[in-house]
């Protein structure tokens, strides 16, 4: 059995690995602060916001739809960074961090916000959460149970982990974690506990407004395209349902003949023929062609086409077509049919 399209693309696995690397980077930055806090340079002049922003491979925060119910924990990694940064108004970020802030989604998909003195990151983690605090205490955030802990015996930061779902599905990252710490060179006293709670409350509230529970995996559903956005910046189940709906309509086959994938894909197999729609959250392709009014390129002549979905994001749709009896031009015609509704048009 051909299972292509049923598992996350290699790039999506790379993002998960990169998030683990991010956890190590956070710890190292805290160590840098500890080692430089008493140096003469740390007293030289007031600290300022970074002059270069966003950081290398980081993205300016985009306005994206807020998830509802439990769906926040099923967001693709990059989208979740934009959601978490945008869930808290910029004025609230500035108030909590004591001054003007800069926001980005970093190269690993984390929401990353800095002031002149403080650094905050927010992301979702699959189990187990890699960064644990010292002397944890139980807290309640927007009606959810969480755990707040200190960084080391010096207490130069706080980590707050909040469980948002009990799901064990492999496409779910059920724990939201905020990490608050000083930037290297800062020696001011900060109430990290209060800062973490002041940010977590509105963040959790914004992404868990009343809505659906997480669905069971593996069953396609018919779904009308999300007006204006389609599959872009949507949780994985909603991406998969929209892909399967359009594939069913384009091929004129019932939904139960399609194979949905957990990470945003849908496939139709019959004898030696196969058509697969696959969402990618972070493509590195070069798009020199146009299909359905969007930048595109053929990955494999006549059998694989990738379409860039947004101008300010690297999200793409890949269409794979294996059918020796079909002419090469039919793939492009098929793409022209399915892409517009998947963009919410």
């Amino acid at each position: 059995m051909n299972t292509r399209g049923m598992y996350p693309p290699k790039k999506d696995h790379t993002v998960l690995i990169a998030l683990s690397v991010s956890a190590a980077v956070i710890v190292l930055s805290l160590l840098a602060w500890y080692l430089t806090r008493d140096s003469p340079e740390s007293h030289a002049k007031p600290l300022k916001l970074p002059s270069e922003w966003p950081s290398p491979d980081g993205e300016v925060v985009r306005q994206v739809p807020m998830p509802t119910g439990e769906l926040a924990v099923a967001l693709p990694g990059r989208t979740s960074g934009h959601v978490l940064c945008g869930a808290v108004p910029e004025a609230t970020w500035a108030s909590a961090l004591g001054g003007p802030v800069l926001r980005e989604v970093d190269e690993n998909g984390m929401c990353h916000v800095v002031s002149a003195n403080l650094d905050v990151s927010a992301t979702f983690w699959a189990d187990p959460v890699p960064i644990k605090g010292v002397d944890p205490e139980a807290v309640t955030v927007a009606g959810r149970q969480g755990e707040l802990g200190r960084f080391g015996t010096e207490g130069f930061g706080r980590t707050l982990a909040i469980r948002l779902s009990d799901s064990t599905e492999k496409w779910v990252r059920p724990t939201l974690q905020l990490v608050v710490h000083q930037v290297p060179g800062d020696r001011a006293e900060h109430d990290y506990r209060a800062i973490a709670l002041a940010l977590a409350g509105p963040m959790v509230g914004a992404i868990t407004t009343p809505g659906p529970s997480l669905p069971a995996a593996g069953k396609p559903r018919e779904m009308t395209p999300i007006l204006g956005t389609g599959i872009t910046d949507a949780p994985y189940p909603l991406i998969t349902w929209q892909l399967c709906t359009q594939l069913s309509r384009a091929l004129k086959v019932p939904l139960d003949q399609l194979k949905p994938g957990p990470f945003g894909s849908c496939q139709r197999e019959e004898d030696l023929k196969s058509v697969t729609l696959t969402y990618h959250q972070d493509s590195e392709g070069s798009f020199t062609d146009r299909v359905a009014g969007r930048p595109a390129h053929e990955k494999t002549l006549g059998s694989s086409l990738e379409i860039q979905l947004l101008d300010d994001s690297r999200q793409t749709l890949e269409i794979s077509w294996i059918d020796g009896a079909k002419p090469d031009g039919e793939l492009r015609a098929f793409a022209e049919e399915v892409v517009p509704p998947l963009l919410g048009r």
Side-chain angles (χ1 to χ4, degrees), residues 295-323:
H297 75 108
E298 284 194 83
K299 298 183 70 173
T300 305
L301 184 62
S303 63
S304 181
L305 189 65
E306 188 171 21
I307 299 98
Q308 184 180 2
L309 300 175
L310 296 172
D311 293 335
D312 56 356
S313 170
R314 289 177 281 185
Q315 297 173 82
T316 63
L317 172 68
E318 182 178 355
I319 304 174
S320 300
W321 182 295
I322 300 175
D323 185 349

Side-chain angles (χ1 to χ4, degrees), residues 18 22 31 40 44 53 63 106 131 166 203 219 236 265 269 333 338:
S22 262
L31 179 61
W53 197 264
Q63 184 175 355
D106 75 8
I131 302 175
D166 293 324
M203 184 179 290
K219 294 183 178 180
Y236 279 124
S265 65
E269 282 187 316
V338 301

Side-chain angles (χ1 to χ4, degrees), residues 90-101:
E90 188 168 357
T92 304
W93 283 110
S95 176
L97 300 186
V101 297

